[in-house]
Amino acid sequence: MSTEEAKVKLYWLEQSRSQRILWLLEELQVKYEVEIFHRNKQTKLAPPELEKVHPLGKSPVVTITPPGAASDAKPIVLAESGWMTEYLCSHYPEGQRLVPKRWQEGKENTIGGETEAYLRHQYYLHYAEGTLMPYLVMSLVIGRLKGTDIPFFVRPITSMVANKIFSLFIAPNIKKNLAMINDHLSTSGGAYLCNDQLTAADILMSFPLIAAQARFRDIVPGWEQTYPRVSEYIKTLEASPGYKKSIAKVEELDGKFQASL
């Protein structure tokens, strides 16, 4: 579709994965609106108003009204970060810069003809949410079994159970994932996951890695030394002009920003 006059709106929720979509929109040089939502201070849940945008009431969500649409036309509603990233990159010219070249010379439109950079890019678009984030969310939830919300007289028992889950399941899987990312960074030919240029996959990977740094230290002590390319990669992402610009935009709109799970 033509994007010249499309109306793009990001539904942004504090302490969510919305910031990286804002970063993507900035990189795509898209004119967009932002509607801000805040979590319930007691439950930490998203407000019910988000369910009017998408049935699951989650964020981020992007709506797009095509140019020339009737005033009462329903917009396109995009949920799931990987899907909205693919959609936006395929429709906006700057998206070509954020997606590696797909085909090897002479192997266009053939099975196995894709470049290694493109294959990695597509993998990480879905890996960020499909594989890495579940372990991080699990660590957050299980970690609460050791928190002050648990009555003190049962906390020793719940803490023992939590520590067992961390040692037998969460920590080994976090280590395995960090090792894979470290290896891919070592063989990408640049400072990023796919090559020597920032891609949309790097933008999606920014949230779980940047937000989970402190959690990594608790789960895998000394992870920065064990997986130095991952540590260096996180610093590269944090220093990216687009990342800084997206943070400044959030602070302008909401007054504060904190990358945390």
Side-chain angles (χ1 to χ4, degrees):
M1 75 178 182
S2 169
T3 57
E4 185 177 351
E5 298 178 1
K7 295 181 180 179
V8 179
K9 187 172 185 178
L10 169 64
Y11 295 83
W12 185 90
L13 175 67
E14 65 173 338
Q15 295 182 336
S16 75
R17 303 159 206 183
S18 307
Q19 179 269 339
R20 59 185 173 179
I21 300 302
L22 196 154
W23 181 6
L24 176 67
L25 292 171
E26 290 288 342
E27 293 287 346
L28 292 173
Q29 299 178 23
V30 175
K31 292 182 179 179
Y32 62 91
E33 302 175 42
V34 179
E35 184 170 346
I36 292 178
F37 295 84
H38 293 100
R39 295 183 180 276
N40 182 289
K41 292 182 178 179
Q42 280 71 46
T43 66
K44 304 299 182 183
L45 297 176
E49 288 81 7
L50 266 173
E51 294 179 17
K52 298 177 182 178
V53 184
H54 187 276
L56 297 182
K58 303 293 184 180
S59 176
V61 173
V62 167
T63 59
I64 304 175
T65 303
S71 58
D72 60 346
K74 291 184 178 180
I76 300 165
V77 180
L78 300 176
E80 295 297 339
S81 297
W83 166 227
M84 68 179 70
T85 298
E86 286 192 73
Y87 190 92
L88 291 167
C89 284
S90 67
H91 281 288
Y92 285 89
E94 285 296 317
Q96 297 179 17
R97 175 176 58 83
L98 295 174
V99 179
K101 179 182 176 182
R102 180 168 184 175
W103 302 110
Q104 302 176 49
E105 295 296 333
K107 296 185 177 181
E108 291 81 3
N109 302 308
T110 62
I111 294 177
E114 294 87 355
T115 65
E116 174 64 23
Y118 179 81
L119 291 173
R120 281 195 186 188
H121 180 267
Q122 297 305 106
Y123 171 71
Y124 275 104
L125 283 184
H126 302 282
Y127 164 85
E129 289 298 309
T131 299
L132 184 56
M133 277 303 302
Y135 292 122
L136 300 179
V137 172
M138 188 181 299
S139 72
L140 178 67
V141 174
I142 299 300
R144 289 180 176 172
L145 292 175
K146 302 190 289 183
T148 55
D149 289 340
I150 303 297
F152 75 94
F153 52 88
V154 297
R155 198 179 306 152
I157 298 173
T158 58
S159 295
M160 183 174 62
V161 172
N163 289 335
K164 200 70 172 178
I165 295 172
F166 271 102
S167 63
L168 293 180
F169 183 75
I170 296 176
N173 279 288
I174 293 293
K175 290 177 181 178
K176 187 179 295 185
N177 279 265
L178 289 175
M180 183 193 73
I181 297 169
N182 198 77
D183 180 65
H184 282 176
L185 287 166
S186 300
T187 59
S188 69
Y192 299 98
L193 282 169
C194 304
N195 49 35
D196 61 351
Q197 295 183 339
L198 178 77
T199 68
D202 295 302
I203 292 174
L204 287 193
M205 284 293 292
S206 66
F207 176 80
L209 292 178
I210 291 174
Q213 290 181 87
R215 193 162 297 276
F216 288 155
R217 294 186 189 103
D218 293 335
I219 301 172
V220 187
W223 74 269
E224 295 99 327
Q225 292 73 42
T226 307
Y227 312 105
R229 292 304 300 269
V230 180
S231 179
E232 180 183 339
Y233 176 58
I234 292 174
K235 292 183 176 66
T236 298
L237 294 175
E238 290 177 316
S240 298
Y243 178 75
K244 292 181 177 180
K245 189 173 182 179
S246 67
I247 290 176
K249 184 72 173 180
V250 171
E251 291 175 340
E252 173 191 333
L253 293 169
D254 198 44
K256 60 184 181 302
F257 173 77
Q258 181 180 4
S260 62
L261 293 174

